Structure formats: C-alpha cells, structure tokens
Amino acid sequence: MKASEAIIKCLIEEKVNTVFGYPGGAIVSVYEALRKSKIHHVLVRHEQGAAHSASGYARVSGKTGVCITTSGPGATNLITGIASAYMDSIPLVVITGQVRSDMIGRDMFQEADITGATESFTKHSYLVKEANELPRIMKEAFYIAATGRPGPVLIDVPSDIQDARIDFVYPEWVDIRGYKPTLKGHIGQIKKAAKAIAESERPLIVAGGGVTLSHAEPELLSFVEKTGIPAAHTLMGKGALPSGNAHYVGMIGTHGFPEANAALSKSDLLIFIGARIADRTWGGASEKLLENTRIIHIDVDPAEIGKNVGTQIPVVGDAKQILLDLNEKVESKNTAGWISEIQSFKKSGTRKETQAVNPKYAIKLLSDMLSDEAILVADVGQNQLWAARNFEDRMGRKFLTSGGLGTMGYALPAAAGAKLAAPERQVVAVVGDGGFQMSMSELGTISANKMGIVILLFNNGRLGMVRELQDQVYKATSGVDLDKNPDFIKLCEAYGMKGMRVSRDAELEAAFQKALRSKGPFVVECMVDAHESTL
Amino acid sequence: MNRHILSVLVENQSGVLSRVSGLFSRRGYNIDSLSVGETENPKISRMTIVVQGDDHILEQIKKQLNKLIDVIKVAELDVHQSVFRELALIKVKTTMAARASIIEIVDIFRAKIVDVANDTLTVEMTGDEEKIEAFINIMAPYGIVEIVRTGLSAIERGNKEIKKYEED
C-alpha cells in the first residue's frame, strides 16, 4: 500500500477516531487516505487551533491527540500549540507534510525546517527518510507521546515518501534503548517518604498536573483521607482533589489562595506530587521556607527533581503507582490543629459593588449551576484566574488551561477538542476579549460541528492582566486598550450562534440557564469593569 | 566552576548532534568542547563533551541529556581513571633560520610535521589539553597562522565499559 495509507492504518491501529487538521499541497496524499477512512477529520480554521483542539481532546479523552497539517506555514502555525502542549505535558502526535525529500534544503515553496524549529519543545521528532520505516516511527511516536512524562511528538513526512509503496506490518511492540521511563517508585525512597510523613507535624500535599495526567485522583483522595494531611494544588493540579473535601486547602502560587500559601510557608514537610514547582507556583512562598521544611518530590521526570527547588526525598515514577505503594505504608495522623490553623489564614473578601458584572461571582454562580461532570476550559489572563479560583472542583469535573506557556487563544479551540472527546458533558470556555479575538476563527469550527459549548466571554475592553500589572508598576498603561472591539454577539450570530450580553450580576442566572439549555454553541458576554482586579 | 568530562552514547542518526548542542545553548550550559564519532557498533556514536558548571548544573545536564530519546547512556568520566587525547593541527610561520629550532621543539613534544612549505610548517600534535596548550605557547613567538583542534576524546582505563554502567 501507499505510505500515506499506512499512516492512516497506523492511526486506526492506535484507535484514533478523531484528528484535527488543515490540508495543503504537501499532505494531500494523506488526506486522500483519510477521506477513505472512518476517522473523523475536524477542519480547524487556523493550524494553531488544531494543536490546541488536539490538546483539549487529549486531556479529556485520556488518549493521545492527533493533528495533521501541511508543510511550511501549515507546520509553523502549529508551533505555539505544540509548545503549549509540551509545557503542560500533553500527549500529541503531530503529523506534518514536507516538500519532496530530494528537494529538502533548497528553500522550496512552503518548505520549513519544522523538526528543527520545534526541537526544544517536542518530546521527540522524526523526519521520515525511508517510507518503510513509517509504521515503526508511528508506533514509537504514540508510545513516546503517552508514556512516562507525556508530550508532543512530531512526524515530518516528505510528499514523495507519502506516495511511496510499502509492505505494511504494524510492529507489535516498541523497543527504544534510549527511552525506558521509570514508572514504579523506588521502594526505599517510598519508605523514606512514609517515615518523613510519620515524623512531620505540619505536612502539606501539593498536587500538580501530573496527578490528573496519571489519573491518580482516587489514589490521592485515599492518601489524603488515610493520613489526614491537608492538600493544596498548583494551577495545573486543579481538579486533583474535590474542593469540598475537608482537607482541601486550594491553589498555591503567585495567584493562589492566602491560606494555601500560608500553609506552604508554615509547613515542615511538603509533598509535591507530579509538579514542576515552577516560578509561578513557588512564587507565593517566602525565601526562608527551605530552611524550615523538608521536601518529598514525586515526579515521573527525573529532570524535574531538584531543577527548581532542592529536595530531600526524591521519588521518581508515576504518581498513581507511587501513591498506591505509599498508601500501604502511611498511617493516620492527627492534623486537626494544623488544618484549623491553615483555615484561620482564610481572608473573606468583601465584594465591591460595580456597575458591571463581577466575574468572580459569575464563575461561582456558573460553577453552582454546572453538573458534576462539567469541563471548564480557561484561557489566559485575568479570566483564567477568576475561573481557577472560583470554579469548584468535584470528582469527575475537569479544568483545562494553558498553565506553563500561558498561551492566549487556547480556550476556544481546546474547548472544541474537549467537547468532541466528551459530547455528552457540559463544556464551558472562559475567555477575555483579548484571547477570544486570538482564536475567534475557531467559531467557524465550533459552529460547523454544532458543538454545544458555552462561551463565557468577559469583556473589559482591554488586556486586563497587563493593565493591572502596568498600573501596579508604572501607574500608567500602555498598549492594552482594545479599541473598536466588534459587537461580539453580532459576530457570533454571524457564525450562526446564539448569544446574550449581560451587564449586571442580576441578569447572570437567566443567561446561564438559557446557555446551558441551548443545544448548539451559546455565548454569554459579560461586561466587566475595566479596573476589576485579578484576585 | 568545575570542568567535567561526559561520555555520551547516542543513536548514530542525523539530528542527534543538533539535539544535544541545542540542549546546551537553550538551557545556557557552558560547553568547552564536543567531539563525536562512530563506536564499535556503527548504529551508536559516542560523544565526549567537556562542560563547566557546579554540581547542580552538572546534574541537570546529565538528566536533560538522558531525557533525549536518542541518548542511550550518559556517564561522567573519572579524571584519574581515564585517558584523554586531543588532536591539533598547527600551522606555524617559519624562515630558513627558524626552521631548525622549530623542528627541535616538535621533537621534544613528540609531535609530527605533516607539511612543509617555504614559509610555513604544519605540525600534528596529539596529547592532553595541557600539552597542546604548552606547545602552542612555545610556537607563538614564531607566529601561528592557523590552529585546528578536535576537542577532547576520552576513554576509561582498564576493562571498564561505559555501556555496562548502571544508571545514575
């Protein structure tokens, strides 16, 4: 068969039933094979949307997301989406067309060195030189993308290779001598961790994105309930533990909860699980902290351990497996006093009355109205933190955002991917007027596929988070006013979508009811005061 | 800042060198030299990388190298248990009068003259870095036209084999 048909056959072998893409000259052979297959191809409106959609799809389905584009600009447009997925450890297989292999390097029409360009933010990449190697490469790519610390893998396929004839045999297993991820934690280290936990008086769990990536939420819950240790989470770890749990402390970091950051500072043992401990996470902690606390760091990627923060007890492996082992070795602790101390750091905010919608209240209200299986996809900026701080986590709910790279324009396409992965679940995209306009081309994809997504658009007529930063540092703003914003409701109507504009908190409930009852996509545009704060 | 010598086994494929060198520049690691060539197994290449950094940076370099799919093994060589060699080709300006004294120095260093012209001599020199540096310093007054160096290659003494190393 043709190698392009083999690519599609490999996708079927990997149980892929949905791909996101955008065709072009150097990938037509694959698209012809795709046409004859049963795989659902979702035509995005910009390639970046394909990568974000595949990412949203992967995070909700638990499978590897797949996107396909042509060479040159088709491939380079993917870059931000690939980098976003890499930073958040999302498994993707990205297939790009390339110019004929004998023409590579001559700066042909639509030629770009995409393996070179994405080198530092793909987990691995291949430029296919031999058509016969394609089945092995596809098998390896799916294996590498989904195992260990997940991430995007790119396969660049020259057009003549796509047309070459090969004997198709899909390999049964993968053996890459340079890639043997450690999944089972070292038992000696787990014992040390259990001992440190037993000795500690003010322990704190900090759950990162790795907990949700390894589907370790039930094991985390057992760990928390068995030991009684309070649990905070990072932005990416949101959803690891239900917020209603008595041990739930909330989000740490520069935009985290005061009680969570206070708990971090006053702890004598920190148990990081599947977290990079990046600057925005650690930012809420005091300098002195490291002198007074010990750190257990559980992560599947050994390079993350000790990279940003020193650790006394590293445990390399998969969060789920390690928690299973650890749960057998830990005992119940008396943490009641410690938990009530943490709760005493809670600050109750007094709500300022404004002439506009209070976005924090809006998220709280929506969160109360949403089901236990709802998926909330937050964009980047103030809207992201309003959402992260006010969307209630429940077992079964999901919160997606671009945490590491902080990519504006993520929410709309990622929500589209999430909805395709779980059509029966409620999906809400929370965006600002800035991020909305970065990806509003995807309204076309959402509308054409009749995706029942609720788009919650916070319109403050500016780039609110930058505005706030500039106001704090410079007492003046620069380049943040989104003058001449379009009428977003009319715009959505032009795409055949329904929508409502809301200017007062009192109008929110009726708007949300309407949105959640709507069969197709529905936009709720909330007019927000220009000076609304993030926290 | 300490110098460390890493021996790295990698898949002998295009793109590997770019991944390794890209890693060093992207993460701001200092690299003194990198030499690479095929091993006893033609599917595997071996790199000798000389890096500078404290223990924390070195650990990160090793871990980040290990993360690359094409990297099979990373080992830090014990300076006291290994043999180091570098090859340098040094083109020196010469005159009829100076030639004899240059040849004398070349002999003392057990280097080799590989090309003679009217006004230059090219010397092939193998040794550890200190020896090559010393030779270059002595040649400097004659006038050095060009120097080409391969960077350090290193192998452990005795029956040790890097591929049999346990993972760190």
Side-chain angles (χ1 to χ4, degrees), chain A residues 2 27 32 121 163 174 185 201 219 229 250 253 260 270 299 304 311 314 333 340 347 388 393 438 444 454 484 533:
Chain A
K2 269 172 130 185
I27 195 81
E32 174 58 13
F121 42 77
D163 284 328
V174 170
E201 287 174 4
E219 289 74 17
I229 301 175
L270 287 169
D299 204 285
E304 288 305 339
T311 173
K333 293 181 69 69
S340 64
K347 284 178 189 150
D393 298 317
M438 276 204 187
V454 175
K484 291 257 156 64
S533 65

Side-chain angles (χ1 to χ4, degrees), chain A residues 214-533:
Chain A
S214 76
H215 311 290
E217 295 94 337
E219 289 74 17
L220 178 69
L221 189 63
S222 316
F223 180 52
V224 167
E225 298 203 318
K226 190 168 179 197
T227 57
I229 301 175
H233 61 80
T234 67
L235 177 65
M236 291 305 292
K238 185 173 163 61
L241 189 75
S243 13
N245 189 287
H247 302 91
Y248 177 85
V249 176
M251 188 165 77
I252 61 160
T254 47
H255 295 90
F257 296 164
E259 64 270 31
N261 285 328
L264 189 79
S265 302
K266 294 189 185 307
S267 66
D268 67 351
L269 179 72
L270 287 169
I271 307 155
F272 282 100
I273 309 170
R276 296 186 294 136
I277 324 184
D279 51 337
R280 291 283 167 118
T281 293
W282 198 239
S286 75
E287 295 267 319
K288 271 198 169 164
L289 173 58
L290 286 175
E291 293 168 19
N292 304 323
T293 194
R294 298 171 77 196
I295 294 178
I296 298 171
H297 193 174
I298 299 168
D299 204 285
V300 73
D301 180 358
E304 288 305 339
I305 288 171
K307 186 176 88 177
N308 297 331
V309 173
T311 173
Q312 285 76 33
I313 306 167
V315 193
V316 176
D318 179 66
K320 195 181 184 83
Q321 293 209 23
I322 290 173
L323 281 171
L324 276 171
D325 291 339
L326 191 57
N327 280 340
E328 285 180 15
K329 301 213 162 15
V330 287
E331 280 164 16
S332 174
K333 293 181 69 69
N334 182 7
T335 52
W338 168 226
I339 288 175
S340 64
E341 189 187 339
I342 293 171
Q343 298 304 338
S344 73
F345 296 113
K346 257 191 188 165
K347 284 178 189 150
S348 53
T350 45
R351 187 156 113 52
K352 248 192 322 191
E353 281 298 326
T354 63
Q355 293 304 300
V357 170
N358 180 325
K360 301 153 199 171
Y361 169 73
I363 298 279
K364 272 207 175 86
L365 178 67
L366 180 62
S367 177
D368 288 345
M369 295 171 72
L370 286 168
S371 76
D372 284 353
E373 290 81 37
I375 299 161
L376 188 140
V377 188
D379 210 70
V380 167
Q382 286 188 305
N383 67 84
Q384 179 182 33
L385 297 158
W386 292 332
R389 291 167 60 93
N390 295 289
F391 177 66
E392 189 193 330
D393 298 317
R394 296 178 198 161
M395 217 62 172
R397 275 193 174 179
K398 224 160 174 62
F399 175 83
L400 319 186
T401 195
S402 167
L405 200 66
T407 306
M408 284 174 68
Y410 168 83
L412 284 183
K419 189 69 185 175
L420 279 164
E424 72 293 347
R425 289 169 75 175
Q426 290 170 332
V427 176
V428 180
V430 175
V431 282
D433 46 330
F436 182 85
Q437 292 182 80
M438 276 204 187
S439 280
M440 65 186 184
S441 53
E442 296 312 315
L443 293 175
T445 316
I446 291 167
S447 178
N449 290 280
K450 301 186 181 64
M451 297 174 184
I453 294 171
V454 175
I455 300 170
L456 178 53
L457 167 62
F458 289 122
N459 184 355
N460 55 5
R462 67 210 64 224
L463 307 173
M465 195 135 192
V466 188
R467 190 276 308 156
E468 190 176 46
L469 175 71
Q470 291 176 338
D471 264 344
Q472 280 165 4
V473 181
Y474 303 105
K475 315 284 177 226
T477 62
S478 166
V480 292
D481 296 325
L482 291 163
D483 295 330
K484 291 257 156 64
N485 260 343
D487 181 328
F488 289 113
I489 300 295
K490 269 192 189 162
L491 182 79
C492 291
E493 281 170 1
Y495 276 101
M497 297 162 63
K498 293 191 183 99
M500 259 181 95
R501 184 173 294 124
V502 175
S503 309
R504 294 280 189 282
D505 288 352
E507 302 159 20
L508 281 169
E509 192 169 346
F512 289 156
Q513 264 167 4
K514 214 168 166 190
L516 292 173
R517 271 202 303 264
S518 166
K519 287 266 177 275
F522 195 100
V523 186
V524 179
E525 181 189 14
C526 296
M527 306 312 288
V528 174
D529 185 86
H531 291 94
E532 186 68 51
S533 65

Side-chain angles (χ1 to χ4, degrees), chain B residues 91-92 94-96 99 113-122:
Chain B
K91 191 178 281 183
V92 188
T94 180
T95 57
M96 297 289 268
R99 188 171 288 159
I113 291 167
V114 287
D115 183 67
V116 185
N118 281 336
D119 47 4
T120 60
L121 273 177
T122 301

Side-chain angles (χ1 to χ4, degrees), chain A residues 7 57 62-63 107 154 181 200 231 253 372 387 405 410 519:
Chain A
I7 291 175
Y57 181 88
K63 302 198 301 186
D107 299 323
L154 184 137
S200 67
D372 284 353
L405 200 66
Y410 168 83
K519 287 266 177 275

Side-chain angles (χ1 to χ4, degrees), chain B residues 92-94 98 102 105 134-144:
Chain B
V92 188
K93 260 191 220 160
T94 180
I102 294 177
I105 299 167
F135 182 77
I136 290 169
N137 287 339
I138 289 180
M139 284 297 116
Y142 297 97
I144 288 169

Side-chain angles (χ1 to χ4, degrees), chain A residues 36-311:
Chain A
K36 294 179 194 155
S37 79
K38 283 187 177 149
I39 294 174
H40 178 205
H41 172 259
V42 181
L43 176 66
V44 294
R45 301 302 191 258
H46 182 286
E47 287 90 346
Q48 189 184 128
H52 289 322
S53 289
S55 168
Y57 181 88
R59 290 177 59 171
V60 170
S61 67
K63 302 198 301 186
T64 297
V66 178
C67 47
I68 305 176
T69 72
T70 191
S71 62
T76 55
N77 273 349
L78 284 169
I79 283 179
T80 304
I82 297 172
S84 308
Y86 182 75
M87 287 289 264
D88 292 342
S89 311
I90 309 301
L92 297 186
V93 167
V94 179
I95 299 165
T96 53
Q98 181 55 280
V99 300
R100 294 177 53 91
S101 50
D102 55 341
M103 295 294 166
I104 287 176
R106 298 198 201 181
D107 299 323
M108 303 293 288
F109 177 67
Q110 294 195 330
E111 178 182 354
D113 171 17
I114 195 63
T115 50
T118 57
E119 193 179 83
S120 62
F121 42 77
T122 43
K123 189 171 172 187
H124 195 49
S125 61
Y126 299 87
L127 169 57
V128 185
K129 291 180 172 167
E130 272 287 335
N132 278 313
E133 290 191 344
L134 253 170
R136 175 187 60 85
I137 288 174
M138 292 286 291
K139 180 89 185 173
E140 285 185 5
F142 275 92
Y143 177 71
I144 292 170
T147 51
R149 177 179 182 177
V153 178
L154 184 137
I155 308 171
D156 198 23
V157 194
S159 57
D160 58 317
I161 302 272
Q162 294 169 32
D163 284 328
R165 300 218 150 255
I166 65 166
D167 297 324
F168 181 80
V169 185
Y170 201 58
E172 279 178 28
W173 61 82
V174 170
D175 182 30
I176 310 163
R177 54 188 154 192
Y179 181 68
K180 304 270 190 279
T182 306
L183 299 179
K184 193 140 178 65
H186 190 279
I187 198 71
Q189 292 300 98
I190 291 171
K191 279 183 188 159
K192 270 192 208 167
K195 187 165 173 276
I197 289 166
E199 287 164 359
S200 67
E201 287 174 4
R202 297 184 309 282
L204 179 73
I205 296 163
V206 181
V211 173
T212 44
L213 280 169
S214 76
H215 311 290
E217 295 94 337
E219 289 74 17
L220 178 69
L221 189 63
S222 316
F223 180 52
V224 167
E225 298 203 318
K226 190 168 179 197
T227 57
I229 301 175
H233 61 80
T234 67
L235 177 65
M236 291 305 292
K238 185 173 163 61
L241 189 75
S243 13
N245 189 287
H247 302 91
Y248 177 85
V249 176
M251 188 165 77
I252 61 160
T254 47
H255 295 90
F257 296 164
E259 64 270 31
N261 285 328
L264 189 79
S265 302
K266 294 189 185 307
S267 66
D268 67 351
L269 179 72
L270 287 169
I271 307 155
F272 282 100
I273 309 170
R276 296 186 294 136
I277 324 184
D279 51 337
R280 291 283 167 118
T281 293
W282 198 239
S286 75
E287 295 267 319
K288 271 198 169 164
L289 173 58
L290 286 175
E291 293 168 19
N292 304 323
T293 194
R294 298 171 77 196
I295 294 178
I296 298 171
H297 193 174
I298 299 168
D299 204 285
V300 73
D301 180 358
E304 288 305 339
I305 288 171
K307 186 176 88 177
N308 297 331
V309 173
T311 173

Side-chain angles (χ1 to χ4, degrees), chain B residues 96-147:
Chain B
M96 297 289 268
R99 188 171 288 159
S101 71
I102 294 177
I103 291 171
E104 210 170 285
I105 299 167
V106 166
D107 281 345
I108 293 168
F109 273 84
R110 293 189 196 145
K112 229 171 26 186
I113 291 167
V114 287
D115 183 67
V116 185
N118 281 336
D119 47 4
T120 60
L121 273 177
T122 301
V123 182
E124 174 198 314
M125 165 99 201
T126 312
D128 59 20
E129 285 174 294
E130 287 77 18
K131 184 177 165 187
I132 289 169
E133 292 292 339
F135 182 77
I136 290 169
N137 287 339
I138 289 180
M139 284 297 116
Y142 297 97
I144 288 169
V145 184
E146 278 184 310
I147 298 178

